[in-house]
Amino acid sequence: MREHLVCRLVRLGLERYLDPDLVHGPRIEPGLTQLLQQPVAIRDPRSLDLNRLGHVPDSARYGGQETRYLPALMAVATEREYGLFINGETAEPSSGELRELTEPATGEPLAKVAVANEQDVDRAVDAARAALDGDWGRTAPTERSRLLHALADALVANRKELAELEARNVGKAISSVKAELAQAVENFRFYGSAIASIAGRSNPVGGSLLFYSLKEPVGVCGQIVPWNYPLMMTTWKLAPALAAGCTIVLKPDSATPLSALRMAELASEVGFPPGTINVVPGPGPTVGAHLVGHPGVEKIAFTGSTATGAEIMRLASDGIKRLILELGGKSPNLVFADANLDDAIPSSVWSIYYSAGQSCEARSRVLVESSIYDDFVARFSEAASSLKVGDPLDPETQVGSLISNEHRDRVHGYVETGREEGAEVVTGGNMEAIAGKGAFYPPTVLAQVDNSMRVAQEEIFGPVVTVIPFEDEKDATRIANDVRYGLMATVWTGDPGRGHRLARRIKAGTVGINMPFTAFPGIPFGGYKQSGFGRELGLETLDDYLETKSVIVSTSPKPFNPFGL
């Protein structure tokens, strides 16, 4: 409760009531306590943009070192209640149900969030349809562009709040969140500019007919984003749909909806018409399924697991809905003996352990040429064990927590399965290595792995890498493609010709050569095989949110009489 009172004092300009030594906690005038302990209502403006002091959870130990969490000035208040966002304003859920969110890194309460149901989805779809038929549908492309750039500016202006909100809600290292936020801003800027590329074409047909085409928004779009990148993925979904002139009902994961809800508020503040963007957090099997099957929704864009993607395809089939599916991955990272290991090793460490391995395109299979295998494993493991695991809000932290204790147990279960299959745990693999309440798991390296093992075939979605030897280029290609996924791949080699050959032979939506990065605004991103279909982030994405209408006009002064009547 102390932190909750402090945040209100700072917001109300009453900092003088705080002890200057924040480490020892504030002294609050007793007469103010009763006033400031009033519950925060969903629409209470004092619950927005608050500053508060951080709590001091237990110190954490990893690798024999102690990490102590120190108080810091925060931009986000705890214990706020978040509603749904429908028709341009915060809305109460039909059921009245609220879910209490906790911070994955501490286990402490973070916020209470409204839980949508099917009736709320209906309200949101109705609002989206009204906006499409009304103000948003009449908004000129130049105005859509201006609004997207204004929303990008709003993200920049509120970057501290958004970064902290994301880090605390997801448990992710704030250094990673800041990079994701930077891309989120650029996503809106890219599509705000890409609106200028939306155009039909025209040409004469024969001697008396003229053809021209129109590009029109596909309609109301249902968009479902995962828990691992809620802020960035929300922009991946919103930006192209808004650029195309569509309206949106977005369902963030129930556990991580805060940044999406805040972004919807910012969109309303900068001038997007009511109903253009609606956000309805809720369970996938009910709210998500109802959104996918809703007859008022023309298109679905989903990022998440392959199993859920398959179910979405079944649910969307009755309505013949258009789909973009960005699904799971088990991406390979190929390291040849002629590679610059001083570059390949730290980049390969980053490629799996950023976002604590909870990323669909994480390079979780490292394929290493057998002649350098032992040296690579030793150097890679040493680098992995040196990573700083801990408080997501510490700018020095490189690996934050996993999303929940249940997910941490699942990740550890895979490590134990790897042991049973014959893999060697070179570093990590010990849940007790990091003390404290948070859902932390140490960076883990499994060596002596065969590609047929479960740990090499199934998506672990945590800070666990499998290191697999190969003999030559042909063998490396075979192993790289010997999974059901095809999202991302990276090749490290000193031979440019080899890099280009492998880029053609590896079945993946994106291939990096001698660089670890994966996604940029303007470069299409998506998968082969069971990693999904459709592309995001590129100009091609706009076509997925547009219909093409052909118009044929007679230019002849003579009447047509096909039957000769």
Side-chain angles (χ1 to χ4, degrees):
M1 180 59 70
R2 175 179 64 83
E3 294 84 3
H4 190 48
L5 299 181
V6 171
C7 75
R8 292 192 170 195
L9 284 168
V10 174
R11 180 68 176 91
L12 296 173
L14 302 176
E15 295 93 335
R16 63 185 179 275
Y17 292 100
L18 301 179
D19 192 299
D21 187 358
L22 300 180
V23 174
H24 297 296
R27 292 195 299 265
I28 301 175
E29 287 288 328
L32 292 173
T33 301
Q34 184 175 1
L35 169 66
L36 294 172
Q37 283 180 338
Q38 297 175 40
V40 179
I42 287 177
R43 295 186 178 88
D44 185 350
R46 291 181 298 172
S47 63
L48 298 175
D49 300 319
L50 304 183
N51 295 310
R52 75 173 186 89
L53 288 177
H55 51 272
V56 189
D58 296 337
S59 60
R61 289 184 178 273
Y62 175 59
Q65 297 181 340
E66 183 177 58
T67 300
R68 182 165 295 279
Y69 299 85
L70 297 177
L73 197 61
M74 301 297 176
V76 178
T78 54
E79 300 182 33
R80 175 186 168 186
E81 290 184 4
Y82 289 77
L84 312 177
F85 195 86
I86 298 174
N87 202 30
E89 62 182 3
T90 301
E92 302 281 353
S94 298
S95 66
E97 181 182 356
L98 295 175
R99 172 177 176 166
E100 185 168 302
L101 302 181
T102 58
E103 297 188 39
T106 65
E108 298 296 327
L110 175 60
K112 293 180 179 179
V113 180
V115 179
N117 61 16
E118 292 90 335
Q119 290 73 37
D120 298 315
V121 172
D122 293 341
R123 292 161 57 200
V125 171
D126 288 346
R129 178 64 58 190
L132 187 67
D133 294 340
D135 289 346
W136 183 244
R138 292 189 292 269
T139 300
T142 52
E143 177 64 5
R144 295 204 305 269
S145 176
R146 186 195 68 78
L147 287 168
L148 282 166
H149 284 290
L151 184 51
D153 292 339
L155 264 61
V156 173
N158 292 272
R159 61 191 179 277
K160 180 179 180 182
E161 176 196 358
L162 289 166
E164 186 192 320
L165 198 65
E166 188 84 342
R168 295 175 68 189
N169 195 185
V170 184
K172 185 178 297 188
I174 199 161
S175 56
S176 295
V177 172
K178 287 179 178 179
E180 293 161 20
L181 182 55
Q183 192 197 96
V185 171
E186 293 307 309
N187 290 337
F188 285 129
R189 297 209 191 283
F190 173 76
Y191 282 107
S193 301
I195 288 174
S197 71
I198 300 174
R201 60 187 181 89
S202 65
N203 57 270
V205 181
S208 60
L209 297 177
L210 175 69
F211 153 78
Y212 67 90
S213 61
L214 300 173
K215 294 290 187 178
E216 299 177 347
V218 72
V220 175
C221 300
Q223 300 182 327
I224 302 174
V225 297
W227 51 258
N228 56 330
Y229 288 100
L231 187 150
M232 188 173 72
M233 285 294 170
T234 294
T235 69
W236 281 33
K237 299 289 187 288
L238 291 181
L242 294 170
C246 298
T247 55
I248 296 148
V249 177
L250 184 135
K251 192 200 86 66
D253 189 278
S254 298
T256 57
L258 302 186
S259 55
L261 288 165
R262 183 67 181 115
M263 202 179 304
E265 292 176 348
L266 293 173
S268 180
E269 290 171 13
V270 301
F272 280 86
T276 306
I277 301 170
N278 307 275
V279 182
V280 286
T286 53
V287 172
H290 190 65
L291 178 61
V292 171
H294 199 290
V297 173
E298 282 83 11
K299 178 180 177 61
I300 297 295
F302 169 77
T303 297
S305 73
T306 296
T308 303
E311 179 62 21
I312 285 174
M313 290 182 70
R314 286 188 284 270
L315 292 170
S317 63
D318 285 344
I320 318 296
K321 297 183 190 296
R322 294 145 185 81
L323 295 175
I324 295 178
L325 300 178
E326 196 262 279
L327 307 176
K330 194 69 177 177
S331 299
N333 187 41
L334 286 64
V335 182
F336 287 85
D338 63 357
N340 177 355
L341 295 185
D342 290 338
D343 186 11
I345 288 174
S347 293
S348 298
V349 168
W350 179 87
S351 296
I352 173 62
Y353 297 122
Y354 74 94
S355 197
Q358 300 171 120
S359 191
C360 52
E361 86 286 2
R363 270 50 50 82
S364 55
R365 291 184 303 144
V366 178
L367 282 51
V368 182
E369 194 163 359
S370 57
S371 61
I372 61 167
Y373 183 84
D374 290 341
D375 180 53
F376 181 93
V377 169
R379 292 174 63 182
F380 184 99
S381 300
E382 181 181 7
S385 63
S386 71
L387 294 175
K388 182 173 181 179
V389 182
D391 180 8
L393 298 179
D394 183 344
E396 300 299 319
T397 293
Q398 295 163 308
V399 181
S401 76
L402 301 186
I403 189 63
S404 67
N405 290 332
E406 293 76 16
H407 185 61
R408 179 190 60 188
D409 294 343
R410 177 183 178 275
V411 169
H412 185 66
Y414 268 108
V415 174
E416 292 303 304
T417 296
R419 292 183 202 267
E420 294 167 4
E421 291 179 310
E424 175 191 357
V425 180
V426 181
T427 190
N430 180 5
M431 282 208 303
E432 285 70 44
I434 305 173
K437 299 178 182 179
F440 295 98
Y441 197 80
T444 298
V445 178
L446 302 181
Q448 307 305 325
V449 173
D450 183 86
N451 198 58
S452 63
M453 294 179 179
R454 282 186 62 195
V455 289
Q457 289 290 315
E458 299 179 15
E459 195 172 26
I460 298 174
F461 224 63
V464 179
V465 72
T466 59
V467 190
I468 304 168
F470 67 82
E471 294 302 321
D472 54 26
E473 187 176 315
K474 182 179 179 180
D475 192 35
T477 304
R478 176 190 64 80
I479 296 171
N481 289 331
D482 187 23
V483 288
R484 63 185 177 127
Y485 302 107
L487 190 57
M488 177 71 197
T490 302
V491 178
W492 296 94
T493 178
D495 181 350
R498 171 186 283 152
H500 294 298
R501 284 194 303 273
L502 286 166
R504 295 183 63 86
R505 293 171 181 169
I506 295 174
K507 302 301 181 184
T510 303
V511 178
I513 302 174
N514 294 331
M515 69 101 217
F517 306 114
T518 57
F520 299 86
I523 298 177
F525 183 86
Y528 282 30
K529 302 189 284 188
Q530 292 189 38
S531 288
F533 53 81
R535 292 296 181 266
E536 297 188 291
L537 289 180
L539 284 175
E540 296 87 341
T541 313
L542 286 173
D543 287 335
D544 285 327
Y545 286 96
L546 292 165
E547 295 280 19
T548 300
K549 178 182 289 182
S550 296
V551 181
I552 306 170
V553 183
S554 171
T555 60
S556 172
K558 296 180 180 180
F560 290 93
N561 189 1
F563 276 132
L565 301 176

